[in-house]
Amino acid sequence: MAVKYELIKECKQSGARLGRLHTPHGTIETPIFMPVGTQATVKTMTPEELKEINAQIILSNTYHLYLRPGHELVEKAGGLHKFMNWNKPILTDSGGFQVFSLGDLRKISEEGVEFRSHIDGSKHFISPEKAIEIENALGADIIMAFDECAPYPADREYVKNSLERTTRWAKRCKEAHRNPDTQALFGIIQGGMYKDLREQSVAEITALDFPGYAVGGLSVGEPKPLMYEVLDYTTPLMPKDKARYLMGVGSPDCLIEGAIRGIDMFDCVLPTRIARNGTAMTSVGKVVIKNAKYTEDFGPLDPNCDCYTCRNYSRAYLRHLYKAGEILSGRLVSYHNLYFLLNLMKDVREAIKADCLLDFRKEFFERYGYDL
Amino acid sequence: MAVKYELIKECKQSGARLGRLHTPHGTIETPIFMPVGTQATVKTMTPEELKEINAQIILSNTYHLYLRPGHELVEKAGGLHKFMNWNKPILTDSGGFQVFSLGDLRKISEEGVEFRSHIDGSKHFISPEKAIEIENALGADIIMAFDECAPYPADREYVKNSLERTTRWAKRCKEAHRNPDTQALFGIIQGGMYKDLREQSVAEITALDFPGYAVGGLSVGEPKPLMYEVLDYTTPLMPKDKARYLMGVGSPDCLIEGAIRGIDMFDCVLPTRIARNGTAMTSVGKVVIKNAKYTEDFGPLDPNCDCYTCRNYSRAYLRHLYKAGEILSGRLVSYHNLYFLLNLMKDVREAIKADCLLDFRKEFFERYGYDL
């Protein structure tokens, strides 16, 4: 089997899981946040920098790589790891979420999804089989099944049909998968905000016996308490001996709340996207670096951070770079934001080890005092 | 004295100079190329990366820093070195070239230049005294006098008036300079493409006894052979015991030809600007990475280069990054181009040491076969 999850312990206070995920490109300590490298690069960062900040695994997007440069090219290059110079684990999504996000540009049928490229308008068709073909060519350690992610809000009927299709597609993905020994195919649980539908989806998807499972269809616009509620009744139904991945979530509060609810893996473009827009996640709250109050602030971006950015540059300098449109601005703030989130997950793992994740959460929110 | 030039030897074959320039922030081996950090950052690069590729000194632009973030702010931050986290030598230009380049937005008088900001249209006035005030606040190791750079072509009368004003301004700069012990003020020789005017300018400017001299008013649109001709009759008139800086020149051929004519220092935005546009300087000629022929080229950007970019990435990957608009593209190609030019200068220094710079030039043009 390509990937094996090892449960080390559960936090006695919160029930959060401390674990290890063994993959062909190395072992990941969980819970973990995965930086997103949409187009075979985590925006502004080199792989060496990602290693410097202890990124253990990154995510890349099948939809984008299929369109550009094309999965055949990546395969010819020796696979995604070699193409992008990253020798640690990679997870690829299936492209499902991206093509559904195209709105008017896509048409869903039982066979798959027809869509037009956001780059040049060209027509394409991705089926479960095609998604797996692409993911097999890319060669990530963990690949995701092609699912249908229902929007929020969506009525019960829509969500039920969508989750049942996701189950049928999951079967087709499993059958199409060529490299089960080197790439682990994870199933995705849907069911929207409906408890019985989540139960139905967990039952159907876990019956297919995947080496890992994601909770999909969350962080799609619903209020955070509702997301937590869905997790509250969904994760207890999931197998304990497989990794659990909450897709598309990356704010500090959601990472902690997710871990408390038994999630092992997270990903989101949030830290790098807001970094390029000049916003930092810091131990003293959100810092919007372009604000005039930082003009003569010669202190570090985050007074409690020892990352490269915080050790070497002032808020005044970072503000100058941002205002001047300099690329180094996005680089330095991306570096800090990812360091911040990866360190947060390290703290979460320590808190699980010490059976005090609920205390940690309380302390975190008191100290950090914000919801990003 | 803030800066001292030490002539180690002259190439017996070409007359090129091997030297050392001692500055408050370290010693520079010459001839040297200076990467340009216009807005207190060499675009896309960190200071650590610049050190990795053996950049010995960088240049920053007074005009840009005066407008944004303002020299008073940089001074409050502890000076430009500290502000931008670069503890090696820095040279600042005077802003003269930039304000003259503003065309209709500026008005020259004996007192100085009135101009409108390219950022917000606000009105400003820079005199020789003001330029030095700004450069003193920035705190670079080497600062340049505020000169008038005549355009090309320009008639004799215009160039003569301009060089004579440059002499008067050079005196005012010298008188205004507050930190001669920590910052070396270099004079600039003008005179356009007129031999007698260059002679006049050298005589007038060197009479003021600056710790170093630049040849200005070249690389302003004239053909390269004309630039070389001007250097041929100008540099022999310049003092041997002071550094000689050819402003705004950065193509491989010009660096070699300049060194042969006794130049010690060069700067240009060329390597970083073309890098961001996807063009690399390589040992096999110019590589325009977006070209379709590199789509499946899995070899390095430059087959004879051992820089970080060439050791780790393929042309196919770099092309993908460029086409996808990824910031990493500009980073990796900038890194390579600067490495290439800094290494070229190292080779030039070795050739001077071995008294074979003319042989090196021949071999270089045969191997590289292009003029960038």
Coordinates of all heavy atoms in Angstrom, one line a residue, chain A residues 39-49 65 68-69 73 76-77 82-85 276 295-296 298 308 312-314 316-317 320-321 323-328 331-332, chain B residues 39-41 43-49 65 68-69 73 76-77 82-85 276 295-296 298 308 312-314 316-317 320-321 323-328 331-332:
Chain A
Q39 N 0.2 25.6 -9.5 CA 0.7 25.3 -10.8 C 2.1 24.8 -10.7 O 3.0 25.2 -11.4 CB 0.7 26.7 -11.6 CG -0.7 27.3 -11.7 CD -0.7 28.5 -12.6 OE1 -1.3 28.4 -13.7 NE2 -0.1 29.6 -12.3
A40 N 2.3 23.8 -9.8 CA 3.6 23.1 -9.7 C 4.6 24.1 -9.1 O 5.8 24.0 -9.3 CB 4.1 22.5 -11.0
T41 N 4.1 25.0 -8.3 CA 5.0 25.9 -7.5 C 4.1 26.5 -6.4 O 3.0 27.0 -6.7 CB 5.7 27.0 -8.4 OG1 6.2 28.1 -7.5 CG2 4.6 27.7 -9.3
V42 N 4.6 26.5 -5.2 CA 4.0 27.2 -4.1 C 4.3 28.7 -4.3 O 5.5 29.1 -4.2 CB 4.4 26.8 -2.7 CG1 3.8 27.6 -1.6 CG2 4.0 25.3 -2.5
K43 N 3.4 29.5 -4.7 CA 3.6 30.8 -5.2 C 4.7 31.6 -4.4 O 4.6 31.8 -3.2 CB 2.3 31.6 -5.3 CG 1.5 31.2 -6.5 CD 0.3 32.1 -6.7 CE -0.8 31.4 -7.6 NZ -0.3 30.9 -8.9
T44 N 5.7 32.1 -5.1 CA 6.8 32.9 -4.7 C 7.9 32.1 -4.0 O 9.0 32.7 -3.8 CB 6.5 34.1 -3.7 OG1 6.3 33.6 -2.4 CG2 5.2 34.8 -4.1
M45 N 7.7 30.8 -3.7 CA 8.6 30.1 -2.8 C 9.4 29.0 -3.6 O 8.9 28.4 -4.5 CB 7.8 29.3 -1.7 CG 6.9 30.2 -0.9 SD 7.8 30.9 0.6 CE 8.1 29.4 1.6
T46 N 10.7 28.8 -3.2 CA 11.4 27.6 -3.7 C 11.2 26.4 -2.8 O 10.8 26.6 -1.6 CB 12.9 27.9 -3.7 OG1 13.4 28.1 -2.4 CG2 13.3 29.1 -4.6
P47 N 11.4 25.2 -3.3 CA 11.3 24.0 -2.5 C 12.2 24.1 -1.3 O 11.8 23.6 -0.2 CB 11.7 22.9 -3.5 CG 11.3 23.5 -4.8 CD 11.6 24.9 -4.8
E48 N 13.4 24.6 -1.5 CA 14.3 24.7 -0.4 C 13.8 25.6 0.8 O 13.9 25.3 1.9 CB 15.7 25.3 -0.8 CG 16.6 24.4 -1.6 CD 16.0 24.0 -3.0 OE1 15.2 24.8 -3.5 OE2 16.3 23.0 -3.5
E49 N 13.1 26.6 0.4 CA 12.5 27.5 1.4 C 11.4 26.7 2.2 O 11.2 26.8 3.4 CB 12.0 28.8 0.8 CG 13.1 29.7 0.5 CD 12.7 30.8 -0.5 OE1 11.6 30.8 -1.1 OE2 13.5 31.7 -0.7
L65 N -2.8 21.8 -13.7 CA -1.6 21.1 -14.4 C -2.1 20.4 -15.7 O -1.3 20.3 -16.6 CB -0.9 20.2 -13.4 CG -0.3 20.9 -12.2 CD1 0.3 19.8 -11.3 CD2 0.8 21.9 -12.7
R68 N -2.2 23.3 -18.1 CA -0.9 23.9 -18.3 C 0.1 23.5 -17.3 O -0.2 23.7 -16.1 CB -1.1 25.5 -18.3 CG 0.1 26.3 -18.7 CD -0.2 27.7 -18.9 NE -0.8 28.3 -17.6 CZ -1.4 29.5 -17.6 NH1 -1.5 30.2 -18.6 NH2 -1.8 30.0 -16.4
P69 N 1.1 22.8 -17.6 CA 1.7 22.5 -18.9 C 1.1 21.2 -19.6 O 1.5 20.9 -20.7 CB 3.2 22.3 -18.7 CG 3.2 21.6 -17.3 CD 2.0 22.3 -16.6
L73 N 3.2 16.1 -20.3 CA 4.5 16.8 -20.2 C 5.1 16.5 -18.9 O 6.3 16.2 -18.8 CB 4.4 18.3 -20.5 CG 5.7 19.1 -20.4 CD1 6.5 18.9 -21.7 CD2 5.5 20.5 -20.0
K76 N 6.4 13.1 -18.8 CA 7.7 13.0 -19.6 C 8.9 13.5 -18.8 O 10.0 13.1 -18.9 CB 7.6 13.8 -20.9 CG 7.0 13.0 -22.0 CD 7.1 13.8 -23.3 CE 6.1 13.2 -24.4 NZ 5.9 14.1 -25.5
A77 N 8.6 14.6 -18.0 CA 9.6 15.2 -17.2 C 10.1 14.3 -16.0 O 11.0 14.6 -15.3 CB 9.2 16.5 -16.6
K82 N 9.9 15.5 -9.7 CA 11.1 15.9 -10.4 C 10.9 17.2 -11.2 O 11.8 18.1 -11.2 CB 11.4 14.8 -11.4 CG 12.8 14.9 -11.9 CD 13.3 13.7 -12.6 CE 14.7 14.0 -13.3 NZ 15.0 13.1 -14.4
F83 N 9.7 17.3 -11.8 CA 9.4 18.5 -12.6 C 9.6 19.8 -11.8 O 10.2 20.8 -12.2 CB 8.0 18.4 -13.1 CG 7.6 19.5 -14.1 CD1 8.3 19.8 -15.2 CD2 6.5 20.3 -13.8 CE1 7.9 20.8 -16.1 CE2 6.1 21.3 -14.7 CZ 6.8 21.6 -15.8
M84 N 9.1 19.8 -10.5 CA 9.1 21.0 -9.7 C 10.2 21.0 -8.6 O 10.3 21.9 -7.8 CB 7.8 21.2 -9.0 CG 7.3 20.2 -8.0 SD 5.7 20.6 -7.3 CE 6.0 22.1 -6.4
N85 N 11.1 19.9 -8.6 CA 12.2 19.9 -7.7 C 11.8 19.7 -6.3 O 12.3 20.4 -5.4 CB 13.1 21.1 -8.0 CG 14.4 21.1 -7.1 OD1 14.9 20.1 -6.9 ND2 14.8 22.3 -6.7
R276 N 0.5 37.8 -0.6 CA 0.7 38.6 -1.7 C -0.1 39.8 -1.7 O 0.2 40.8 -2.4 CB 0.5 37.7 -3.0 CG 1.4 36.5 -3.1 CD 1.4 35.9 -4.5 NE 0.1 35.6 -5.0 CZ -0.6 34.5 -4.6 NH1 -0.1 33.7 -3.7 NH2 -1.8 34.3 -5.1
T295 N 4.2 52.7 8.8 CA 5.2 53.5 8.0 C 6.6 53.6 8.7 O 7.6 53.4 8.1 CB 4.7 54.9 7.7 OG1 3.4 54.8 7.1 CG2 5.7 55.7 6.8
E296 N 6.5 53.9 10.0 CA 7.8 54.0 10.8 C 7.9 53.0 11.8 O 8.5 53.2 12.9 CB 7.9 55.4 11.4 CG 7.9 56.5 10.3 CD 8.4 57.8 10.8 OE1 8.8 58.0 12.0 OE2 8.5 58.8 10.0
F298 N 9.7 50.0 12.9 CA 10.9 49.3 12.6 C 11.0 48.0 13.3 O 12.1 47.4 13.3 CB 12.1 50.2 12.9 CG 12.1 51.5 12.1 CD1 11.9 52.7 12.7 CD2 12.1 51.4 10.7 CE1 11.9 53.9 11.9 CE2 12.0 52.6 9.9 CZ 11.9 53.8 10.5
Y308 N 12.8 33.7 9.0 CA 13.7 34.5 8.2 C 13.2 36.0 8.1 O 14.0 36.9 8.3 CB 14.0 33.9 6.9 CG 14.7 34.8 5.9 CD1 16.1 35.0 6.1 CD2 14.1 35.4 4.9 CE1 16.8 35.9 5.2 CE2 14.7 36.3 4.0 CZ 16.1 36.5 4.2 OH 16.8 37.3 3.4
N312 N 14.9 39.5 10.0 CA 15.8 40.3 9.1 C 15.1 41.6 8.6 O 15.8 42.5 8.1 CB 16.3 39.5 7.9 CG 17.3 38.4 8.3 OD1 18.3 38.8 8.8 ND2 16.9 37.2 8.2
Y313 N 13.8 41.7 8.7 CA 13.1 42.8 8.1 C 12.1 43.5 9.0 O 11.5 42.8 9.8 CB 12.4 42.4 6.8 CG 13.4 41.7 5.8 CD1 13.6 40.4 5.8 CD2 14.2 42.5 5.0 CE1 14.5 39.8 4.9 CE2 15.1 41.9 4.1 CZ 15.3 40.5 4.1 OH 16.2 40.0 3.3
S314 N 12.0 44.8 8.8 CA 11.0 45.6 9.6 C 9.7 45.7 8.9 O 9.6 45.5 7.7 CB 11.6 47.0 9.9 OG 11.7 47.7 8.7
A316 N 8.3 48.4 8.5 CA 8.5 49.6 7.6 C 9.0 49.2 6.2 O 8.6 49.7 5.2 CB 9.4 50.6 8.3
Y317 N 10.0 48.3 6.3 CA 10.6 47.8 5.0 C 9.6 47.0 4.2 O 9.4 47.2 3.0 CB 11.8 47.0 5.3 CG 12.5 46.5 4.0 CD1 13.1 47.4 3.1 CD2 12.6 45.2 3.7 CE1 13.8 47.0 2.0 CE2 13.2 44.7 2.6 CZ 13.8 45.6 1.7 OH 14.4 45.2 0.6
H320 N 7.1 49.3 2.6 CA 7.7 49.9 1.5 C 7.7 49.0 0.3 O 7.3 49.4 -0.8 CB 9.2 50.3 1.8 CG 10.0 50.6 0.6 ND1 9.7 51.6 -0.3 CD2 11.1 49.9 0.1 CE1 10.6 51.6 -1.3 NE2 11.5 50.6 -1.1
L321 N 8.2 47.7 0.5 CA 8.2 46.8 -0.6 C 6.8 46.6 -1.2 O 6.6 46.5 -2.4 CB 8.7 45.4 -0.2 CG 10.2 45.3 0.2 CD1 10.5 43.9 0.6 CD2 11.1 45.7 -0.9
K323 N 4.2 48.6 -1.1 CA 3.7 49.9 -1.7 C 4.4 50.1 -3.1 O 3.9 50.6 -4.0 CB 3.9 51.1 -0.8 CG 3.2 51.0 0.5 CD 1.8 51.6 0.4 CE 1.8 53.1 0.3 NZ 0.4 53.6 0.3
A324 N 5.7 49.6 -3.1 CA 6.5 49.8 -4.3 C 6.2 48.7 -5.4 O 6.8 48.7 -6.4 CB 8.0 49.9 -4.0
G325 N 5.3 47.7 -5.0 CA 5.0 46.7 -5.9 C 6.2 45.7 -6.1 O 6.3 45.0 -7.2
E326 N 7.0 45.5 -5.1 CA 8.2 44.7 -5.3 C 7.8 43.2 -5.0 O 7.2 42.9 -4.0 CB 9.3 45.1 -4.3 CG 10.0 46.4 -4.8 CD 10.9 46.2 -6.0 OE1 11.1 45.0 -6.4 OE2 11.4 47.2 -6.6
I327 N 8.4 42.3 -5.8 CA 8.1 40.9 -5.6 C 8.6 40.4 -4.3 O 8.0 39.5 -3.7 CB 8.8 40.1 -6.8 CG1 7.9 40.3 -8.1 CG2 9.0 38.7 -6.5 CD1 8.6 39.8 -9.3
L328 N 9.6 40.9 -3.8 CA 10.2 40.5 -2.5 C 9.1 40.6 -1.4 O 9.2 39.8 -0.4 CB 11.4 41.3 -2.1 CG 12.2 40.7 -0.9 CD1 12.7 39.3 -1.1 CD2 13.5 41.6 -0.7
R331 N 7.1 37.5 -1.4 CA 8.0 36.4 -1.0 C 8.2 36.4 0.6 O 8.0 35.3 1.2 CB 9.5 36.6 -1.5 CG 9.7 36.1 -2.9 CD 11.2 36.2 -3.2 NE 12.0 35.2 -2.4 CZ 13.3 35.0 -2.5 NH1 14.0 35.8 -3.4 NH2 13.9 34.1 -1.8
L332 N 8.5 37.5 1.1 CA 8.8 37.5 2.6 C 7.6 37.3 3.4 O 7.6 36.6 4.4 CB 9.4 38.9 2.9 CG 10.8 39.1 2.3 CD1 11.3 40.5 2.7 CD2 11.8 38.1 2.8
Chain B
Q39 N 14.7 50.0 -5.8 CA 13.8 50.4 -4.7 C 14.2 49.7 -3.4 O 13.4 49.2 -2.6 CB 12.4 50.2 -5.0 CG 11.9 50.8 -6.3 CD 10.4 50.7 -6.6 OE1 9.7 51.7 -6.5 NE2 9.9 49.6 -6.9
A40 N 15.5 49.7 -3.1 CA 16.0 49.0 -1.9 C 15.8 47.5 -1.9 O 15.6 46.9 -0.9 CB 15.5 49.7 -0.6
T41 N 15.8 46.9 -3.1 CA 15.7 45.5 -3.3 C 16.1 45.2 -4.7 O 15.6 45.8 -5.6 CB 14.3 44.9 -3.0 OG1 14.2 43.6 -3.5 CG2 13.2 45.7 -3.7
K43 N 15.4 43.3 -7.6 CA 14.1 42.7 -7.8 C 14.1 41.2 -7.8 O 14.9 40.5 -8.5 CB 13.5 43.2 -9.2 CG 13.1 44.7 -9.0 CD 12.3 45.1 -10.3 CE 12.1 46.6 -10.3 NZ 11.5 47.2 -9.1
T44 N 13.2 40.6 -7.0 CA 12.9 39.2 -6.8 C 13.9 38.5 -5.9 O 13.6 37.4 -5.4 CB 12.9 38.3 -8.1 OG1 14.2 38.0 -8.5 CG2 12.1 39.0 -9.2
M45 N 15.0 39.1 -5.5 CA 16.1 38.4 -4.8 C 16.2 38.9 -3.3 O 15.9 40.0 -3.0 CB 17.4 38.8 -5.5 CG 17.5 38.5 -6.9 SD 18.0 36.8 -7.3 CE 19.8 36.8 -6.8
T46 N 16.6 37.9 -2.5 CA 17.0 38.3 -1.1 C 18.5 38.6 -1.1 O 19.2 38.2 -1.9 CB 16.7 37.1 -0.1 OG1 17.6 36.0 -0.5 CG2 15.3 36.7 -0.1
P47 N 18.9 39.4 0.0 CA 20.3 39.6 0.1 C 21.1 38.4 0.3 O 22.2 38.3 -0.2 CB 20.3 40.5 1.4 CG 19.0 41.1 1.5 CD 18.0 40.1 0.9
E48 N 20.5 37.3 0.9 CA 21.3 36.1 1.1 C 21.6 35.4 -0.3 O 22.6 34.9 -0.5 CB 20.5 35.1 2.0 CG 20.5 35.4 3.4 CD 19.8 36.7 3.8 OE1 18.9 37.1 3.0 OE2 20.1 37.3 4.8
E49 N 20.6 35.5 -1.2 CA 20.8 35.0 -2.5 C 21.9 35.7 -3.2 O 22.7 35.2 -3.9 CB 19.5 35.0 -3.3 CG 18.6 33.9 -2.8 CD 17.1 34.1 -3.2 OE1 16.8 35.1 -3.8 OE2 16.3 33.2 -3.0
L65 N 14.2 56.1 -4.1 CA 14.1 56.1 -2.6 C 13.7 57.4 -2.0 O 13.1 57.5 -1.0 CB 15.5 55.6 -2.0 CG 15.8 54.2 -2.4 CD1 17.2 53.8 -1.8 CD2 14.8 53.2 -2.0
R68 N 10.0 57.3 -2.5 CA 9.3 56.2 -1.8 C 10.4 55.2 -1.4 O 11.0 54.7 -2.2 CB 8.3 55.5 -2.8 CG 7.4 54.5 -2.1 CD 6.3 54.0 -3.1 NE 6.9 53.5 -4.3 CZ 6.1 53.2 -5.4 NH1 4.9 53.5 -5.4 NH2 6.7 52.7 -6.5
P69 N 10.6 55.0 -0.1 CA 9.7 55.5 1.1 C 10.1 56.9 1.6 O 9.5 57.3 2.5 CB 10.0 54.4 2.1 CG 11.5 54.1 1.9 CD 11.6 54.1 0.4
L73 N 12.9 58.5 6.1 CA 12.5 57.2 6.7 C 13.7 56.2 6.7 O 13.9 55.5 7.7 CB 11.3 56.6 5.9 CG 10.8 55.3 6.4 CD1 9.9 55.5 7.7 CD2 10.1 54.5 5.4
K76 N 16.0 57.1 9.4 CA 15.4 56.7 10.7 C 15.6 55.2 10.9 O 15.7 54.7 12.1 CB 13.9 57.0 10.8 CG 13.7 58.4 11.3 CD 12.2 58.6 11.5 CE 11.8 60.1 11.5 NZ 10.4 60.4 11.5
A77 N 15.5 54.4 9.9 CA 15.6 52.9 10.0 C 17.0 52.5 10.2 O 17.3 51.3 10.4 CB 15.1 52.3 8.7
K82 N 20.9 48.7 6.7 CA 20.0 48.1 7.7 C 18.6 47.9 7.2 O 18.0 46.9 7.4 CB 20.1 48.9 9.0 CG 19.5 48.2 10.2 CD 19.8 48.9 11.5 CE 19.0 48.1 12.6 NZ 18.7 49.0 13.7
F83 N 18.1 49.0 6.6 CA 16.7 49.0 6.1 C 16.5 47.7 5.2 O 15.5 47.0 5.3 CB 16.4 50.3 5.3 CG 15.0 50.5 4.8 CD1 14.0 50.5 5.7 CD2 14.7 50.7 3.5 CE1 12.7 50.7 5.3 CE2 13.4 50.9 3.1 CZ 12.4 50.9 4.0
M84 N 17.4 47.5 4.3 CA 17.2 46.4 3.3 C 17.9 45.1 3.7 O 17.9 44.2 2.9 CB 17.6 46.9 1.9 CG 19.0 47.1 1.6 SD 19.4 47.7 -0.1 CE 19.0 46.2 -1.0
N85 N 18.6 45.1 4.8 CA 19.3 43.9 5.3 C 20.4 43.4 4.4 O 20.6 42.3 4.1 CB 18.2 42.8 5.4 CG 18.7 41.5 6.0 OD1 19.6 41.5 6.8 ND2 18.2 40.3 5.5
R276 N 13.0 38.8 -15.8 CA 11.5 38.9 -15.5 C 10.7 38.8 -16.8 O 9.5 38.4 -16.8 CB 11.2 40.1 -14.7 CG 11.8 40.2 -13.3 CD 11.2 41.2 -12.4 NE 11.2 42.6 -13.0 CZ 12.2 43.4 -13.1 NH1 13.4 43.0 -12.7 NH2 12.1 44.6 -13.6
T295 N 9.5 23.6 -24.9 CA 8.3 23.0 -24.2 C 8.7 21.6 -23.6 O 8.4 21.3 -22.5 CB 7.2 22.7 -25.2 OG1 6.9 23.9 -25.9 CG2 6.0 22.1 -24.6
E296 N 9.5 20.8 -24.3 CA 9.9 19.5 -23.8 C 11.4 19.4 -23.7 O 12.0 18.4 -23.8 CB 9.4 18.4 -24.7 CG 7.9 18.4 -24.8 CD 7.3 17.1 -25.3 OE1 8.1 16.2 -25.6 OE2 6.0 17.0 -25.4
F298 N 14.1 19.2 -21.3 CA 14.3 18.9 -19.9 C 15.7 19.1 -19.4 O 16.1 18.7 -18.3 CB 13.8 17.4 -19.6 CG 12.3 17.2 -19.9 CD1 11.9 16.4 -20.9 CD2 11.4 18.0 -19.3 CE1 10.6 16.2 -21.3 CE2 10.0 17.8 -19.6 CZ 9.6 16.9 -20.6
Y308 N 22.1 27.6 -8.8 CA 21.0 26.9 -8.2 C 19.9 26.6 -9.2 O 19.4 25.5 -9.3 CB 20.4 27.8 -7.1 CG 19.1 27.3 -6.6 CD1 18.9 26.2 -5.8 CD2 17.9 28.0 -7.0 CE1 17.7 25.7 -5.4 CE2 16.7 27.5 -6.5 CZ 16.6 26.4 -5.7 OH 15.3 26.0 -5.3
N312 N 18.8 22.6 -10.6 CA 17.6 22.1 -10.1 C 16.4 22.1 -11.0 O 15.4 21.5 -10.7 CB 17.2 22.8 -8.8 CG 18.2 22.4 -7.7 OD1 18.3 21.3 -7.3 ND2 19.0 23.4 -7.3
Y313 N 16.4 22.9 -12.1 CA 15.2 23.1 -12.9 C 15.5 22.9 -14.4 O 16.6 23.2 -14.8 CB 14.6 24.5 -12.6 CG 14.3 24.7 -11.2 CD1 15.2 25.3 -10.3 CD2 13.1 24.2 -10.6 CE1 14.9 25.4 -8.9 CE2 12.8 24.3 -9.3 CZ 13.8 24.9 -8.4 OH 13.5 25.0 -7.1
S314 N 14.5 22.5 -15.1 CA 14.6 22.3 -16.5 C 14.1 23.5 -17.3 O 13.3 24.3 -16.7 CB 13.9 21.1 -17.0 OG 12.5 21.3 -16.8
A316 N 12.0 23.3 -19.6 CA 10.5 23.0 -19.7 C 9.8 23.5 -18.4 O 8.7 24.2 -18.6 CB 10.3 21.5 -19.8
Y317 N 10.4 23.3 -17.3 CA 9.7 23.8 -16.0 C 9.7 25.4 -16.0 O 8.7 26.0 -15.7 CB 10.4 23.3 -14.8 CG 9.8 23.7 -13.5 CD1 8.5 23.3 -13.2 CD2 10.5 24.5 -12.6 CE1 7.9 23.7 -11.9 CE2 9.9 24.9 -11.4 CZ 8.7 24.5 -11.1 OH 8.1 24.9 -9.9
H320 N 7.2 26.7 -18.3 CA 5.9 26.5 -17.7 C 5.6 27.6 -16.7 O 4.6 28.3 -16.7 CB 5.8 25.2 -17.0 CG 4.6 25.1 -16.0 ND1 3.3 25.2 -16.3 CD2 4.7 25.0 -14.6 CE1 2.6 25.2 -15.2 NE2 3.4 25.0 -14.2
L321 N 6.6 27.9 -15.8 CA 6.4 28.9 -14.8 C 6.2 30.3 -15.4 O 5.3 31.1 -15.0 CB 7.7 29.1 -13.9 CG 8.0 27.9 -12.9 CD1 9.2 28.2 -12.1 CD2 6.8 27.6 -12.0
K323 N 5.0 30.9 -18.5 CA 3.7 31.0 -19.2 C 2.6 31.1 -18.2 O 1.6 31.7 -18.5 CB 3.6 29.7 -20.1 CG 4.6 29.5 -21.2 CD 4.3 30.2 -22.5 CE 3.1 29.5 -23.2 NZ 2.8 30.2 -24.4
A324 N 2.8 30.5 -17.0 CA 1.7 30.5 -16.0 C 1.8 31.8 -15.2 O 1.0 31.9 -14.3 CB 1.8 29.3 -15.1
G325 N 2.7 32.7 -15.5 CA 2.8 33.9 -14.8 C 3.2 33.8 -13.3 O 2.9 34.6 -12.5
E326 N 4.0 32.7 -13.0 CA 4.4 32.5 -11.7 C 5.7 33.3 -11.3 O 6.6 33.4 -12.1 CB 4.8 31.0 -11.5 CG 3.5 30.1 -11.4 CD 2.7 30.2 -10.1 OE1 3.2 30.9 -9.2 OE2 1.6 29.7 -10.1
I327 N 5.7 33.8 -10.1 CA 6.8 34.7 -9.6 C 8.1 33.9 -9.6 O 9.1 34.5 -9.8 CB 6.4 35.2 -8.2 CG1 5.4 36.4 -8.4 CG2 7.6 35.6 -7.4 CD1 4.8 36.9 -7.1
L328 N 8.0 32.6 -9.3 CA 9.2 31.8 -9.2 C 10.0 31.9 -10.6 O 11.3 31.8 -10.5 CB 8.9 30.4 -8.9 CG 10.1 29.5 -8.5 CD1 10.9 30.0 -7.4 CD2 9.6 28.1 -8.2
R331 N 12.2 34.9 -10.4 CA 13.2 34.6 -9.3 C 14.4 33.8 -9.9 O 15.5 34.1 -9.8 CB 12.6 33.8 -8.2 CG 11.9 34.6 -7.1 CD 11.6 33.7 -5.9 NE 12.8 33.3 -5.2 CZ 12.8 32.6 -4.1 NH1 11.6 32.2 -3.6 NH2 13.9 32.3 -3.5
L332 N 14.0 32.6 -10.5 CA 15.0 31.7 -10.9 C 15.9 32.2 -12.1 O 17.1 31.9 -12.1 CB 14.3 30.3 -11.3 CG 13.6 29.6 -10.2 CD1 12.9 28.3 -10.7 CD2 14.6 29.2 -9.1

